[in-house]
Amino acid sequence: MVSLALIRANSLWIVFSYLAIHVDGNKLRRLHNIIGSTSGETKPFRPDPKLVEGLIQAGFTRAQAAQALNAVGNDDCCQPQIHWLFENSKSNKQTVPHHEKECHMFENTDFDGYAVIWGSQNLKESAAECCQSCKDYVPVPPSYYPCNIWVWCGHGDGCFAPAAGEFKYGQCWLKYQDSPENPQVNMKGDYSPQYRASHHTAPRAVQWTAGVVVGTGIQVSNGTWSSRSHW
């Protein structure tokens, strides 16, 4: 006699095969995992660690990276995942009128965040101009993120960053974070002796000036360490 478990498993796979015509690959993978678990086969989805690190390098937190990959899958990273984060972010649910925005500035600080405009494409002569650039920024596709974080290089010889590329005077990076009132901090204040020992070109202190743009009257904290802090 054919066991009930076998009949149940076969029925589920028939449903799976039918739905394969009607759902996209990522949803299909989720269904496969569910069916596998009901038939005694466990195949939990796991975000690709390299893609997690890639999204962190793009300015998102480790938790956000894992959430996006779990929701969308590992395929075609990373624009679909970034778009999913936007659709589920605070920026998609609330906006601050331009006249109600105000700047908060932090010396010797580098804030994390998803870059909506790279600094090399947005040169400014002062931190105030950089902050105004963030306030004036109009979101554009494909990400549609607004600007609520800015980072400016005011050092004449350029600013140190533990990343590839040139970071010259005047670069004004425009970024987005979900909670700018509690900003994610990459670097702040003096570098430790241990950090300078592993980063031989690092100066004594962080050379960047960073800030946030929030609604008038909102209190801004000193922030918390980001997933990229002290890289």
Side-chain angles (χ1 to χ4, degrees):
M1 180 179 292
V2 179
S3 70
L4 290 176
L6 182 58
I7 293 173
R8 182 167 177 252
N10 287 338
S11 298
L12 286 169
W13 280 112
I14 291 171
V15 173
F16 175 80
S17 300
Y18 175 79
L19 290 177
I21 303 172
H22 302 282
V23 299
D24 63 37
N26 292 313
K27 292 179 181 177
L28 196 59
R29 185 186 305 104
R30 300 295 186 281
L31 183 60
H32 179 276
N33 291 339
I34 293 170
I35 292 174
S37 63
T38 60
S39 60
E41 179 187 1
T42 303
K43 291 184 178 180
F45 173 78
R46 291 186 177 85
D48 186 329
K50 291 182 179 179
L51 299 182
V52 171
E53 293 302 319
L55 284 166
I56 290 174
Q57 290 190 41
F60 296 101
T61 67
R62 186 173 298 277
Q64 287 176 312
Q67 288 170 358
L69 290 166
N70 274 309
V72 181
N74 292 322
D75 297 340
D76 302 320
C77 193
C78 291
Q79 198 56 51
Q81 290 78 4
I82 290 173
H83 184 70
W84 182 90
L85 286 168
F86 169 74
E87 291 292 335
N88 291 273
S89 72
K90 293 180 180 178
S91 72
N92 195 33
K93 300 175 177 63
Q94 60 188 28
T95 57
V96 179
H98 188 278
H99 68 278
E100 296 181 8
K101 295 178 181 179
E102 63 180 17
C103 293
H104 295 254
M105 185 174 71
F106 297 79
E107 298 281 358
N108 303 116
T109 302
D110 174 29
F111 287 155
D112 204 10
Y114 175 67
V116 295
I117 292 290
W118 284 37
S120 58
Q121 301 171 347
N122 191 38
L123 301 179
K124 301 298 176 183
E125 285 298 318
S126 68
E129 286 187 17
C130 184
C131 184
Q132 188 63 43
S133 177
C134 184
K135 290 175 67 175
D136 294 340
Y137 177 77
V138 177
V140 296
S143 64
Y144 296 99
Y145 281 107
C147 177
N148 56 22
I149 298 287
W150 54 272
V151 183
W152 180 70
C153 177
H155 193 270
D157 295 328
C159 295
F160 168 79
E166 290 186 289
F167 303 96
K168 297 181 178 181
Y169 172 81
Q171 286 193 7
C172 172
W173 290 74
L174 304 186
K175 303 182 179 183
Y176 170 81
Q177 290 188 20
D178 246 8
S179 300
E181 69 278 4
N182 185 33
Q184 297 281 314
V185 182
N186 287 338
M187 304 175 285
K188 188 171 187 176
D190 291 346
Y191 292 109
S192 68
Q194 293 84 356
Y195 186 88
R196 294 179 67 188
S198 61
H199 299 76
H200 302 298
T201 60
R204 179 187 63 81
V206 176
Q207 296 169 319
W208 299 87
T209 299
V212 303
V213 172
V214 293
T216 302
I218 292 179
Q219 296 295 315
V220 178
S221 75
N222 289 326
T224 56
W225 292 118
S226 74
S227 298
R228 292 197 292 174
S229 62
H230 299 94
W231 273 19

